[in-house]
Amino acid sequence: MKKVLENIRILRESKGYSQEFMAELLKMTQSAYARFERGATKTDLKTVSLVAKVLEMHLIDIITYPERYVNIKDISKEIVTSEPEVILQIKVTGQKRDQILKTAFENSGFEMETLLK
């Protein structure tokens, strides 16, 4: 939990929020918030979740900071909704090169003579 509390301190400071500001939003005193952030009091998930809301972050991102959690569902949506992209690099020379270019581009509208130069 000490690492999570350190992450909270770093994130709070990076946003320019004071302990007083955080305490006010969390409806606690500044000294209670300072004890929370230092780990001097018992910390529960509910409080950490509230802090995450104040910092406008997901709880998991506070826990894994500086890494960000990536939801596999978001990735799969991106893959499904985006047009597939393929990058292929093959090193061939001579006749094999010509055969591959002809096969790959024969119906593409490219001038084959240009490709074969």
Side-chain angles (χ1 to χ4, degrees):
M1 186 58 99
K2 200 158 194 77
K3 173 71 174 140
V4 173
L5 296 174
E6 177 66 14
N7 291 347
I8 288 171
R9 183 191 61 76
I10 291 167
L11 291 164
R12 173 184 61 78
E13 289 175 351
S14 72
K15 290 188 174 270
Y17 297 167
S18 66
Q19 286 186 342
E20 294 84 6
F21 177 77
M22 294 293 289
E24 183 180 319
L25 292 177
L26 295 167
K27 297 180 178 34
M28 62 174 67
T29 65
Q30 185 276 327
S31 60
Y33 180 82
R35 287 191 303 275
F36 157 77
E37 201 173 83
R38 279 194 322 270
T41 60
K42 189 173 180 179
T43 303
D44 60 5
L45 191 56
K46 182 181 177 185
T47 306
V48 176
S49 294
L50 290 171
V51 170
K53 279 186 177 182
V54 169
L55 294 173
E56 299 174 326
M57 295 183 71
H58 293 284
L59 176 61
I60 191 73
D61 289 329
I62 287 179
I63 293 168
T64 61
Y65 183 81
E67 302 296 321
R68 289 202 63 196
Y69 172 76
V70 178
N71 188 336
I72 193 70
K73 290 179 183 176
D74 293 339
I75 291 172
S76 62
K77 283 180 197 172
E78 190 175 299
I79 290 170
V80 171
T81 59
S82 64
E83 195 169 308
E85 180 178 309
V86 176
I87 299 172
L88 177 64
Q89 185 174 16
I90 303 172
K91 184 176 181 177
V92 290
T93 58
Q95 189 178 2
K96 291 279 187 196
R97 177 188 71 116
D98 295 347
Q99 289 173 342
I100 290 171
L101 287 172
K102 283 179 184 176
T103 302
F105 295 103
E106 67 185 344
N107 293 323
S108 67
F110 285 110
E111 301 260 344
M112 292 307 296
E113 293 74 28
T114 305
L115 292 172
L116 297 175
K117 287 184 181 177

